[in-house]
Structures are given as C-alpha cells and as structure tokens.
mmCIF file of all heavy atoms in Angstrom:
data_model
loop_
_atom_site.group_PDB
_atom_site.id
_atom_site.type_symbol
_atom_site.label_atom_id
_atom_site.label_comp_id
_atom_site.label_asym_id
_atom_site.label_seq_id
_atom_site.Cartn_x
_atom_site.Cartn_y
_atom_site.Cartn_z
ATOM 1 N N ILE A 1 7.401 41.523 6.067
ATOM 2 C CA ILE A 1 7.784 40.957 7.392
ATOM 3 C C ILE A 1 6.651 39.961 7.746
ATOM 4 O O ILE A 1 5.500 40.163 7.589
ATOM 5 C CB ILE A 1 7.748 42.050 8.481
ATOM 6 C CG1 ILE A 1 8.754 43.111 8.190
ATOM 7 C CG2 ILE A 1 7.961 41.500 9.865
ATOM 8 C CD1 ILE A 1 8.719 44.319 9.082
ATOM 9 N N HIS A 2 7.115 38.762 8.166
ATOM 10 C CA HIS A 2 6.205 37.686 8.560
ATOM 11 C C HIS A 2 6.555 37.240 9.958
ATOM 12 O O HIS A 2 7.664 36.770 10.165
ATOM 13 C CB HIS A 2 6.315 36.566 7.548
ATOM 14 C CG HIS A 2 5.253 35.405 7.882
ATOM 15 N ND1 HIS A 2 4.239 35.110 7.054
ATOM 16 C CD2 HIS A 2 5.231 34.524 8.889
ATOM 17 C CE1 HIS A 2 3.512 34.134 7.644
ATOM 18 N NE2 HIS A 2 4.114 33.758 8.744
ATOM 19 N N VAL A 3 5.610 37.390 10.897
ATOM 20 C CA VAL A 3 5.856 37.094 12.283
ATOM 21 C C VAL A 3 4.735 36.192 12.730
ATOM 22 O O VAL A 3 3.570 36.494 12.597
ATOM 23 C CB VAL A 3 5.909 38.373 13.127
ATOM 24 C CG1 VAL A 3 6.042 37.989 14.639
ATOM 25 C CG2 VAL A 3 6.944 39.263 12.689
ATOM 26 N N ASN A 4 5.123 35.053 13.381
ATOM 27 C CA ASN A 4 4.054 34.108 13.923
ATOM 28 C C ASN A 4 3.555 34.660 15.308
ATOM 29 O O ASN A 4 2.386 34.655 15.517
ATOM 30 C CB ASN A 4 4.575 32.771 14.106
ATOM 31 C CG ASN A 4 4.661 32.036 12.729
ATOM 32 O OD1 ASN A 4 3.974 32.321 11.774
ATOM 33 N ND2 ASN A 4 5.543 31.104 12.643
ATOM 34 N N GLU A 5 4.472 35.049 16.115
ATOM 35 C CA GLU A 5 3.990 35.447 17.473
ATOM 36 C C GLU A 5 5.054 36.402 18.158
ATOM 37 O O GLU A 5 6.209 36.292 18.059
ATOM 38 C CB GLU A 5 3.872 34.206 18.346
ATOM 39 C CG GLU A 5 3.252 34.524 19.718
ATOM 40 C CD GLU A 5 2.892 33.226 20.435
ATOM 41 O OE1 GLU A 5 3.287 32.127 20.082
ATOM 42 O OE2 GLU A 5 2.108 33.419 21.448
ATOM 43 N N VAL A 6 4.450 37.394 18.863
ATOM 44 C CA VAL A 6 5.313 38.303 19.675
ATOM 45 C C VAL A 6 4.630 38.274 21.042
ATOM 46 O O VAL A 6 3.526 38.564 21.244
ATOM 47 C CB VAL A 6 5.180 39.761 19.129
ATOM 48 C CG1 VAL A 6 5.986 40.691 19.969
ATOM 49 C CG2 VAL A 6 5.560 39.796 17.714
ATOM 50 N N THR A 7 5.345 37.689 22.039
ATOM 51 C CA THR A 7 4.800 37.442 23.282
ATOM 52 C C THR A 7 5.834 37.514 24.461
ATOM 53 O O THR A 7 7.007 37.630 24.228
ATOM 54 C CB THR A 7 4.112 36.013 23.269
ATOM 55 O OG1 THR A 7 3.439 35.872 24.589
ATOM 56 C CG2 THR A 7 5.135 34.921 23.233
ATOM 57 N N SER A 8 5.300 37.640 25.654
ATOM 58 C CA SER A 8 6.094 37.671 26.853
ATOM 59 C C SER A 8 7.077 38.856 26.887
ATOM 60 O O SER A 8 8.273 38.622 26.902
ATOM 61 C CB SER A 8 6.751 36.404 27.132
ATOM 62 O OG SER A 8 5.865 35.373 27.279
ATOM 63 N N SER A 9 6.577 40.039 26.902
ATOM 64 C CA SER A 9 7.443 41.199 27.064
ATOM 65 C C SER A 9 8.468 41.339 25.914
ATOM 66 O O SER A 9 9.636 41.447 26.183
ATOM 67 C CB SER A 9 8.064 41.210 28.393
ATOM 68 O OG SER A 9 8.737 42.464 28.710
ATOM 69 N N SER A 10 8.045 41.392 24.666
ATOM 70 C CA SER A 10 8.868 41.522 23.531
ATOM 71 C C SER A 10 8.229 42.497 22.546
ATOM 72 O O SER A 10 7.135 42.915 22.793
ATOM 73 C CB SER A 10 9.190 40.164 22.901
ATOM 74 O OG SER A 10 7.912 39.585 22.517
ATOM 75 N N ALA A 11 9.103 42.963 21.642
ATOM 76 C CA ALA A 11 8.609 43.992 20.635
ATOM 77 C C ALA A 11 9.129 43.801 19.301
ATOM 78 O O ALA A 11 10.190 43.245 19.139
ATOM 79 C CB ALA A 11 8.960 45.367 21.171
ATOM 80 N N ILE A 12 8.374 44.231 18.388
ATOM 81 C CA ILE A 12 8.877 44.348 16.927
ATOM 82 C C ILE A 12 8.850 45.819 16.703
ATOM 83 O O ILE A 12 7.840 46.526 16.807
ATOM 84 C CB ILE A 12 7.973 43.632 15.954
ATOM 85 C CG1 ILE A 12 8.003 42.144 16.134
ATOM 86 C CG2 ILE A 12 8.331 43.955 14.475
ATOM 87 C CD1 ILE A 12 7.014 41.406 15.256
ATOM 88 N N GLN A 13 10.089 46.431 16.426
ATOM 89 C CA GLN A 13 10.224 47.814 16.260
ATOM 90 C C GLN A 13 10.683 48.045 14.818
ATOM 91 O O GLN A 13 11.671 47.529 14.402
ATOM 92 C CB GLN A 13 11.258 48.398 17.229
ATOM 93 C CG GLN A 13 11.566 49.855 17.007
ATOM 94 C CD GLN A 13 10.480 50.756 17.292
ATOM 95 O OE1 GLN A 13 9.705 50.539 18.311
ATOM 96 N NE2 GLN A 13 10.276 51.876 16.465
ATOM 97 N N ILE A 14 9.957 48.798 14.098
ATOM 98 C CA ILE A 14 10.337 49.217 12.677
ATOM 99 C C ILE A 14 10.520 50.688 12.791
ATOM 100 O O ILE A 14 9.645 51.413 12.904
ATOM 101 C CB ILE A 14 9.238 48.861 11.719
ATOM 102 C CG1 ILE A 14 8.880 47.431 11.791
ATOM 103 C CG2 ILE A 14 9.612 49.241 10.292
ATOM 104 C CD1 ILE A 14 7.543 47.034 11.085
ATOM 105 N N GLY A 15 11.812 51.036 12.727
ATOM 106 C CA GLY A 15 12.212 52.469 12.943
ATOM 107 C C GLY A 15 13.213 52.637 14.025
ATOM 108 O O GLY A 15 13.775 51.677 14.573
ATOM 109 N N GLU A 16 13.389 53.806 14.489
ATOM 110 C CA GLU A 16 14.322 54.098 15.567
ATOM 111 C C GLU A 16 13.663 54.028 16.983
ATOM 112 O O GLU A 16 12.527 54.293 17.142
ATOM 113 C CB GLU A 16 14.871 55.494 15.379
ATOM 114 C CG GLU A 16 15.676 55.739 14.090
ATOM 115 C CD GLU A 16 16.155 57.121 13.931
ATOM 116 O OE1 GLU A 16 16.645 57.657 14.963
ATOM 117 O OE2 GLU A 16 16.052 57.695 12.827
ATOM 118 N N THR A 17 14.485 53.590 17.938
ATOM 119 C CA THR A 17 14.133 53.500 19.361
ATOM 120 C C THR A 17 15.168 54.118 20.152
ATOM 121 O O THR A 17 16.297 53.812 20.005
ATOM 122 C CB THR A 17 13.863 52.104 19.780
ATOM 123 O OG1 THR A 17 12.961 51.522 18.905
ATOM 124 C CG2 THR A 17 13.326 51.975 21.138
ATOM 125 N N GLY A 18 14.820 54.903 21.163
ATOM 126 C CA GLY A 18 15.784 55.529 21.992
ATOM 127 C C GLY A 18 16.211 54.516 23.103
ATOM 128 O O GLY A 18 17.435 54.312 23.213
ATOM 129 N N ARG A 19 15.290 54.012 23.787
ATOM 130 C CA ARG A 19 15.638 52.969 24.874
ATOM 131 C C ARG A 19 14.598 51.894 24.932
ATOM 132 O O ARG A 19 13.374 52.296 24.771
ATOM 133 C CB ARG A 19 15.769 53.749 26.182
ATOM 134 C CG ARG A 19 16.108 52.881 27.337
ATOM 135 C CD ARG A 19 16.119 53.603 28.669
ATOM 136 N NE ARG A 19 16.257 52.710 29.753
ATOM 137 C CZ ARG A 19 17.261 52.640 30.478
ATOM 138 N NH1 ARG A 19 18.345 53.441 30.342
ATOM 139 N NH2 ARG A 19 17.344 51.698 31.458
ATOM 140 N N VAL A 20 15.005 50.689 25.162
ATOM 141 C CA VAL A 20 14.106 49.561 25.228
ATOM 142 C C VAL A 20 14.353 48.842 26.567
ATOM 143 O O VAL A 20 15.523 48.418 26.819
ATOM 144 C CB VAL A 20 14.279 48.574 24.118
ATOM 145 C CG1 VAL A 20 13.397 47.378 24.253
ATOM 146 C CG2 VAL A 20 13.975 49.295 22.760
ATOM 147 N N ASP A 21 13.392 48.791 27.501
ATOM 148 C CA ASP A 21 13.521 48.014 28.736
ATOM 149 C C ASP A 21 12.430 46.945 28.700
ATOM 150 O O ASP A 21 11.280 47.205 28.603
ATOM 151 C CB ASP A 21 13.333 48.933 29.939
ATOM 152 C CG ASP A 21 14.327 49.995 30.031
ATOM 153 O OD1 ASP A 21 15.512 49.698 29.962
ATOM 154 O OD2 ASP A 21 13.799 51.201 30.255
ATOM 155 N N MET A 22 12.817 45.675 28.848
ATOM 156 C CA MET A 22 11.859 44.587 28.848
ATOM 157 C C MET A 22 12.214 43.570 29.850
ATOM 158 O O MET A 22 13.375 43.307 30.072
ATOM 159 C CB MET A 22 11.748 43.999 27.453
ATOM 160 C CG MET A 22 11.436 44.965 26.415
ATOM 161 S SD MET A 22 11.415 44.331 24.760
ATOM 162 C CE MET A 22 9.760 44.885 24.348
ATOM 163 N N ILE A 23 11.232 43.026 30.433
ATOM 164 C CA ILE A 23 11.456 41.909 31.421
ATOM 165 C C ILE A 23 10.267 40.918 31.390
ATOM 166 O O ILE A 23 9.154 41.323 31.167
ATOM 167 C CB ILE A 23 11.638 42.410 32.830
ATOM 168 C CG1 ILE A 23 12.017 41.290 33.800
ATOM 169 C CG2 ILE A 23 10.481 43.229 33.333
ATOM 170 C CD1 ILE A 23 12.616 41.786 35.119
ATOM 171 N N SER A 24 10.475 39.671 31.507
ATOM 172 C CA SER A 24 9.442 38.691 31.508
ATOM 173 C C SER A 24 9.825 37.676 32.470
ATOM 174 O O SER A 24 10.987 37.113 32.455
ATOM 175 C CB SER A 24 9.290 38.006 30.153
ATOM 176 O OG SER A 24 8.325 37.015 30.199
ATOM 177 N N ARG A 25 8.954 37.365 33.459
ATOM 178 C CA ARG A 25 9.226 36.347 34.483
ATOM 179 C C ARG A 25 8.069 35.419 34.488
ATOM 180 O O ARG A 25 6.872 35.754 34.399
ATOM 181 C CB ARG A 25 9.368 37.001 35.873
ATOM 182 C CG ARG A 25 10.492 37.889 35.907
ATOM 183 C CD ARG A 25 10.599 38.581 37.276
ATOM 184 N NE ARG A 25 11.735 39.524 37.283
ATOM 185 C CZ ARG A 25 12.370 39.918 38.333
ATOM 186 N NH1 ARG A 25 11.944 39.365 39.501
ATOM 187 N NH2 ARG A 25 13.387 40.643 38.227
ATOM 188 N N MET A 26 8.355 34.107 34.500
ATOM 189 C CA MET A 26 7.260 33.111 34.424
ATOM 190 C C MET A 26 7.576 31.947 35.397
ATOM 191 O O MET A 26 8.718 31.519 35.489
ATOM 192 C CB MET A 26 7.244 32.547 33.015
ATOM 193 C CG MET A 26 6.100 31.363 32.913
ATOM 194 S SD MET A 26 6.104 30.675 31.288
ATOM 195 C CE MET A 26 5.275 31.927 30.396
ATOM 196 N N LYS A 27 6.571 31.572 36.093
ATOM 197 C CA LYS A 27 6.656 30.449 37.006
ATOM 198 C C LYS A 27 5.661 29.389 36.455
ATOM 199 O O LYS A 27 4.498 29.619 36.394
ATOM 200 C CB LYS A 27 6.290 30.828 38.449
ATOM 201 C CG LYS A 27 6.377 29.715 39.464
ATOM 202 C CD LYS A 27 7.785 29.249 39.633
ATOM 203 C CE LYS A 27 7.921 28.152 40.738
ATOM 204 N NZ LYS A 27 9.267 27.724 40.882
ATOM 205 N N TYR A 28 6.174 28.221 36.159
ATOM 206 C CA TYR A 28 5.326 27.145 35.593
ATOM 207 C C TYR A 28 5.197 26.048 36.549
ATOM 208 O O TYR A 28 6.263 25.546 37.095
ATOM 209 C CB TYR A 28 5.996 26.669 34.249
ATOM 210 C CG TYR A 28 5.252 25.478 33.655
ATOM 211 C CD1 TYR A 28 4.064 25.721 32.897
ATOM 212 C CD2 TYR A 28 5.702 24.232 33.687
ATOM 213 C CE1 TYR A 28 3.300 24.707 32.377
ATOM 214 C CE2 TYR A 28 5.029 23.164 33.152
ATOM 215 C CZ TYR A 28 3.777 23.391 32.464
ATOM 216 O OH TYR A 28 3.155 22.386 31.893
ATOM 217 N N LEU A 29 4.039 25.656 36.926
ATOM 218 C CA LEU A 29 3.766 24.582 37.834
ATOM 219 C C LEU A 29 3.021 23.470 37.242
ATOM 220 O O LEU A 29 2.051 23.654 36.475
ATOM 221 C CB LEU A 29 2.931 25.057 39.060
ATOM 222 C CG LEU A 29 3.498 26.282 39.798
ATOM 223 C CD1 LEU A 29 2.342 26.871 40.795
ATOM 224 C CD2 LEU A 29 4.681 25.983 40.552
ATOM 225 N N LYS A 30 3.445 22.277 37.393
ATOM 226 C CA LYS A 30 2.790 21.073 36.881
ATOM 227 C C LYS A 30 2.381 20.246 38.075
ATOM 228 O O LYS A 30 3.320 19.850 38.842
ATOM 229 C CB LYS A 30 3.672 20.325 35.872
ATOM 230 C CG LYS A 30 2.905 19.179 35.219
ATOM 231 C CD LYS A 30 3.756 18.602 34.079
ATOM 232 C CE LYS A 30 2.916 17.522 33.386
ATOM 233 N NZ LYS A 30 3.674 16.964 32.311
ATOM 234 N N GLN A 31 1.178 19.898 38.222
ATOM 235 C CA GLN A 31 0.694 19.173 39.401
ATOM 236 C C GLN A 31 -0.135 17.983 38.968
ATOM 237 O O GLN A 31 -1.127 18.199 38.296
ATOM 238 C CB GLN A 31 -0.088 20.069 40.274
ATOM 239 C CG GLN A 31 -0.420 19.610 41.638
ATOM 240 C CD GLN A 31 -1.175 20.644 42.467
ATOM 241 O OE1 GLN A 31 -2.103 21.261 41.985
ATOM 242 N NE2 GLN A 31 -0.625 20.932 43.678
ATOM 243 N N GLU A 32 0.278 16.799 39.365
ATOM 244 C CA GLU A 32 -0.513 15.613 39.067
ATOM 245 C C GLU A 32 -1.374 15.233 40.219
ATOM 246 O O GLU A 32 -0.986 15.328 41.338
ATOM 247 C CB GLU A 32 0.416 14.415 38.700
ATOM 248 C CG GLU A 32 1.027 14.559 37.319
ATOM 249 C CD GLU A 32 1.739 13.233 36.885
ATOM 250 O OE1 GLU A 32 1.489 12.103 37.543
ATOM 251 O OE2 GLU A 32 2.554 13.328 36.029
ATOM 252 N N SER A 33 -2.484 14.768 39.912
ATOM 253 C CA SER A 33 -3.349 14.258 40.958
ATOM 254 C C SER A 33 -3.018 12.807 41.343
ATOM 255 O O SER A 33 -2.556 12.075 40.429
ATOM 256 C CB SER A 33 -4.838 14.275 40.461
ATOM 257 O OG SER A 33 -5.706 13.552 41.361
ATOM 258 N N GLU A 34 -3.137 12.462 42.553
ATOM 259 C CA GLU A 34 -2.850 11.086 43.009
ATOM 260 C C GLU A 34 -3.796 10.119 42.288
ATOM 261 O O GLU A 34 -3.436 8.995 41.972
ATOM 262 C CB GLU A 34 -2.997 10.951 44.493
ATOM 263 C CG GLU A 34 -1.871 11.649 45.249
ATOM 264 C CD GLU A 34 -2.118 11.477 46.709
ATOM 265 O OE1 GLU A 34 -2.809 10.499 47.182
ATOM 266 O OE2 GLU A 34 -1.525 12.332 47.517
ATOM 267 N N ILE A 35 -5.046 10.527 41.981
ATOM 268 C CA ILE A 35 -5.976 9.640 41.262
ATOM 269 C C ILE A 35 -5.375 9.299 39.903
ATOM 270 O O ILE A 35 -5.432 8.176 39.557
ATOM 271 C CB ILE A 35 -7.317 10.366 41.129
ATOM 272 C CG1 ILE A 35 -7.926 10.573 42.559
ATOM 273 C CG2 ILE A 35 -8.283 9.498 40.257
ATOM 274 C CD1 ILE A 35 -9.128 11.531 42.542
ATOM 275 N N VAL A 36 -4.857 10.278 39.204
ATOM 276 C CA VAL A 36 -4.403 10.050 37.891
ATOM 277 C C VAL A 36 -3.036 9.306 37.907
ATOM 278 O O VAL A 36 -2.787 8.430 37.208
ATOM 279 C CB VAL A 36 -4.244 11.376 37.101
ATOM 280 C CG1 VAL A 36 -3.555 11.171 35.760
ATOM 281 C CG2 VAL A 36 -5.623 11.948 36.998
ATOM 282 N N SER A 37 -2.124 9.770 38.893
ATOM 283 C CA SER A 37 -0.786 9.160 38.877
ATOM 284 C C SER A 37 -0.823 7.774 39.377
ATOM 285 O O SER A 37 0.106 6.977 39.103
ATOM 286 C CB SER A 37 0.117 9.997 39.782
ATOM 287 O OG SER A 37 -0.398 10.023 41.101
ATOM 288 N N ASP A 38 -1.834 7.294 40.153
ATOM 289 C CA ASP A 38 -1.938 5.963 40.576
ATOM 290 C C ASP A 38 -2.712 5.037 39.565
ATOM 291 O O ASP A 38 -2.936 3.865 39.824
ATOM 292 C CB ASP A 38 -2.540 5.918 41.943
ATOM 293 C CG ASP A 38 -1.604 6.380 43.036
ATOM 294 O OD1 ASP A 38 -0.362 6.342 42.778
ATOM 295 O OD2 ASP A 38 -2.114 6.790 44.070
ATOM 296 N N SER A 39 -3.206 5.579 38.511
ATOM 297 C CA SER A 39 -4.004 4.858 37.535
ATOM 298 C C SER A 39 -3.134 3.812 36.829
ATOM 299 O O SER A 39 -1.880 3.940 36.706
ATOM 300 C CB SER A 39 -4.734 5.781 36.653
ATOM 301 O OG SER A 39 -3.797 6.323 35.724
ATOM 302 N N THR A 40 -3.818 2.865 36.294
ATOM 303 C CA THR A 40 -3.162 1.859 35.416
ATOM 304 C C THR A 40 -2.451 2.526 34.242
ATOM 305 O O THR A 40 -1.329 2.154 33.903
ATOM 306 C CB THR A 40 -4.150 0.791 34.974
ATOM 307 O OG1 THR A 40 -4.808 0.215 36.089
ATOM 308 C CG2 THR A 40 -3.445 -0.317 34.285
ATOM 309 N N LEU A 41 -3.147 3.485 33.591
ATOM 310 C CA LEU A 41 -2.567 4.194 32.401
ATOM 311 C C LEU A 41 -1.299 4.873 32.839
ATOM 312 O O LEU A 41 -0.270 4.855 32.135
ATOM 313 C CB LEU A 41 -3.637 5.096 31.817
ATOM 314 C CG LEU A 41 -3.117 5.963 30.703
ATOM 315 C CD1 LEU A 41 -2.702 5.082 29.551
ATOM 316 C CD2 LEU A 41 -4.118 6.976 30.275
ATOM 317 N N ALA A 42 -1.333 5.653 33.908
ATOM 318 C CA ALA A 42 -0.117 6.392 34.411
ATOM 319 C C ALA A 42 0.964 5.451 34.701
ATOM 320 O O ALA A 42 2.204 5.747 34.340
ATOM 321 C CB ALA A 42 -0.473 7.264 35.611
ATOM 322 N N LYS A 43 0.733 4.360 35.296
ATOM 323 C CA LYS A 43 1.763 3.408 35.646
ATOM 324 C C LYS A 43 2.408 2.798 34.453
ATOM 325 O O LYS A 43 3.551 2.551 34.307
ATOM 326 C CB LYS A 43 1.213 2.284 36.576
ATOM 327 C CG LYS A 43 0.975 2.772 37.956
ATOM 328 C CD LYS A 43 0.370 1.695 38.808
ATOM 329 C CE LYS A 43 0.085 2.222 40.234
ATOM 330 N NZ LYS A 43 -0.566 1.260 41.075
ATOM 331 N N SER A 44 1.575 2.565 33.388
ATOM 332 C CA SER A 44 2.132 2.004 32.152
ATOM 333 C C SER A 44 2.896 3.014 31.427
ATOM 334 O O SER A 44 3.800 2.691 30.594
ATOM 335 C CB SER A 44 0.923 1.512 31.261
ATOM 336 O OG SER A 44 0.219 2.565 30.802
ATOM 337 N N LEU A 45 2.759 4.301 31.588
ATOM 338 C CA LEU A 45 3.525 5.329 30.956
ATOM 339 C C LEU A 45 4.763 5.755 31.653
ATOM 340 O O LEU A 45 5.562 6.409 31.090
ATOM 341 C CB LEU A 45 2.613 6.597 30.630
ATOM 342 C CG LEU A 45 1.456 6.417 29.847
ATOM 343 C CD1 LEU A 45 0.583 7.631 29.860
ATOM 344 C CD2 LEU A 45 1.859 5.993 28.405
ATOM 345 N N LYS A 46 4.915 5.302 32.967
ATOM 346 C CA LYS A 46 6.154 5.733 33.738
ATOM 347 C C LYS A 46 7.373 5.102 33.098
ATOM 348 O O LYS A 46 7.398 4.009 32.663
ATOM 349 C CB LYS A 46 5.974 5.314 35.133
ATOM 350 C CG LYS A 46 5.017 6.248 35.944
ATOM 351 C CD LYS A 46 5.041 5.818 37.388
ATOM 352 C CE LYS A 46 4.026 6.719 38.158
ATOM 353 N NZ LYS A 46 3.962 6.343 39.549
ATOM 354 N N VAL A 47 8.442 5.971 33.078
ATOM 355 C CA VAL A 47 9.728 5.468 32.565
ATOM 356 C C VAL A 47 10.557 5.175 33.884
ATOM 357 O O VAL A 47 10.748 5.983 34.790
ATOM 358 C CB VAL A 47 10.391 6.537 31.782
ATOM 359 C CG1 VAL A 47 11.766 6.082 31.333
ATOM 360 C CG2 VAL A 47 9.478 6.906 30.578
#
C-alpha cells in the first residue's frame, strides 16, 4: 500500500469495520491588503 496523504477526517482501514462516521468542514478565507492590491505589480497581474 502506498499512500501520500490521509487528511481532513478520513481513514485507511485494513480489515473489517462496523460503522464509519466522518465529517470535515472547512472555511477558506483569502484577504488581500490594499497596500498590495494597489501596487504596480498587483495592477500588472490583474486580468
């Protein structure tokens, strides 16, 4: 078995399992600073 990653409420089970309950909730926030968003570099990258 080769696994790179097991994350965010998950499991690798080898054998028998009676019951599996799993939940994962994620809130991702991305916040730009006005200093960075008004920079010349940021303006040149805007689409």
Side-chain angles (χ1 to χ4, degrees):
I1 299 172
H2 182 109
V3 178
N4 285 335
E5 186 170 15
V6 182
T7 187
S8 299
S9 189
S10 56
I12 294 176
Q13 173 70 38
I14 304 167
E16 297 180 41
T17 304
R19 181 183 171 114
V20 177
D21 298 311
M22 305 181 121
I23 186 167
S24 178
R25 296 176 181 206
M26 179 181 284
K27 182 68 175 178
Y28 178 75
L29 305 170
K30 186 171 183 178
Q31 189 176 54
E32 283 190 19
S33 168
E34 290 180 20
I35 297 168
V36 174
S37 61
D38 289 337
S39 70
T40 306
L41 176 62
K43 288 177 183 176
S44 68
L45 295 175
K46 285 185 180 178
V47 178

